[in-house]
Amino acid sequence: MKKYLFFLFLFGILTVSAQNPAKYWVQFKDKEGTPYTIDKPEEYLSPRALELRQKYHIPITMTDLPVNPEYVKQVLAADSTSYLCTQSKWLNGITIYSTQDSLEKLLTALPFVAEVEMTSRLDTIEDEPIVEFYYEDNAPIAHSLKSDVQSLDYGSALLQTQMNNAQWLHRMGYYGEGMQMMIMDGGFHNVDSVSYFQTLRDDHRLLGARNFVQPDVDPFRKHSHGTMVLSCIASYMPGELVGTAPMAQFYLCQTEDARSETKVEEDYWVAGVEWADYLGCQVLNSSLGYTKFDDTVAQHRSYEDLNGLVSRASRAATIAASKGMIVCNSAGNEGASKWKYLGTPADADAILTVGAVRADSVAASFSSWGPTSDGRVKPDACAVGMMAAVCNPNGKRTRAAGTSFSSPILSGMVACLWQAFPEKDNYEIMEAVRQSGNLYWEDEHGQLGFGITDFLKAYNILRQPDPEDVVVVFDSFTPKKDKKGSYELIVMVVQGEKVPVQFSLKSGRKLNVKGKNSTMTVPTSEGDVVVQGALYQIKLKPLAKNEPWRMEELELLYKGETLRYVIGLE
């Protein structure tokens, strides 16, 4: 009897060990026979998403159609151990779980399957989630912070706000109101209770949360990284910590699996960004990157792979831009390592890849380097990433380091900038961000790429009309004091040397203007071009003793047209 029981026990062990749980990407060949059509986008896009598509003239295409549900049904029917994890309409494929040893051979026999790729080998068997966690707040949105508030006490976040001149956007009344953001990360522990997010919750601007890694697990109960990332943007506790877009609306999405680093996380990332598209989110922050992996399925990528076309996450990020979104992604923290380069999806085209600087504007040693392997400048923008002010899940202010924090700091600023120019599309906003970098006009781009973004400069770039014969270039939008205490501003009016240009301040304050003919080298897609222009040195009166800052509107009369720009003194 004992031998019989031992045999059953041993048989059970062998049966379990014969199973090899893993996750797989299944690539479909087409979308033939799909019940969805381009003519009925309301079946797969939210009303907000459709409104934004119409506003920015973004067409509905075949990539918007969900995967053929019949294909999904047949794939799952072919393997009784499998279940569906994620699906991607943009890339036309799904992620499934299975314990079937011969799965690849089994599924590639189906006529509509193009490829099957193992993306994660698991140590234990996982059960299919029965009920998915989903947080949603449908209450009317309020705004505790009024747009006419011109001065905020940022507390410990002051330096990281001023580094990029975002305080001027706030002083103009742009705090992210009406902008919908998606934060994709590894968990958001205690966001539903931490005091720094109290205003966010009370205003009902925390719109929803979802977990693509473990759909039945509450993302508010584990992992601190997403909490700290969100605090860079959404915190509102004057005198202690104020984020860069404290009036924005947020969806939270867990796509990172803290238990391991495997290729399947890129497919969770794709699922997350497609959810953002469905919801109509405009700005997405991803403090995530994928280059090295734990298992032998895909151990690492080569530098040649960093062209935006290899990683599914990178390809999806580029598609997200074509759907109207701005994706801000951390450059990575490999700058001081032998690898040194950025990861994916930071290599994607048409996104903002964000590097990190220290409080003294010098590159943080860990900030990953560009360019991409196909020669595109990266990072696109930089913000504080060393000793960044954040809050942790215990409700305590702390400091943190990494491009994980420079990216959300910048993404909140991007949301405020886009709020100021709702008529501009995402590509126009991103280009203004790049052009406002302090290294944009450099011949060579190093670790910081286009450099530290000046959001007041980006604001003025977007205010710039687009006549063919004039471009106004400001050396600085926040003039520095000279030795005598006055403020100096350098203005270059390209092709303006033979035409009278008049400057004045809307406030009526006097200006001291000196001009001379000059030349300027402007980089273009076809190479550097030398242009003629007029260089003006403008001196402004200093601040009064009881005047902590002053915002002026500079008026430039050129060919009968008045161009207006905002300058800030503090």
Side-chain angles (χ1 to χ4, degrees), residues 230-283:
L230 179 64
S231 72
C232 297
I233 316 169
S235 289
Y236 183 64
M237 192 172 287
E240 293 195 28
L241 184 66
V242 175
T244 51
M247 287 179 69
Q249 303 164 23
F250 296 89
Y251 280 95
L252 309 180
C253 180
Q254 183 172 342
T255 63
E256 174 75 1
D257 191 342
R259 299 170 298 178
S260 61
E261 189 78 355
T262 58
K263 201 172 181 181
V264 71
E265 290 171 273
E266 293 190 335
D267 297 327
Y268 297 145
W269 196 97
V270 174
V273 75
E274 290 192 18
W275 185 44
D277 172 60
Y278 163 78
L279 294 166
C281 295
Q282 294 152 284
V283 179

Side-chain angles (χ1 to χ4, degrees), residues 480-488 539:
K480 300 298 182 183
K481 286 183 180 180
D482 65 15
K483 293 180 180 179
K484 297 179 181 180
S486 62
Y487 287 82
E488 185 177 86
K539 286 195 174 182

Side-chain angles (χ1 to χ4, degrees), residues 22 29 32 76 105 142 192 236 276 286 322 415 453 456 498 517 542:
K29 294 179 180 178
E32 291 184 7
L76 298 178
K105 181 178 180 180
D192 57 347
Y236 183 64
S286 163
S322 73
T453 306
L456 183 55
K498 296 180 180 179
N517 291 341

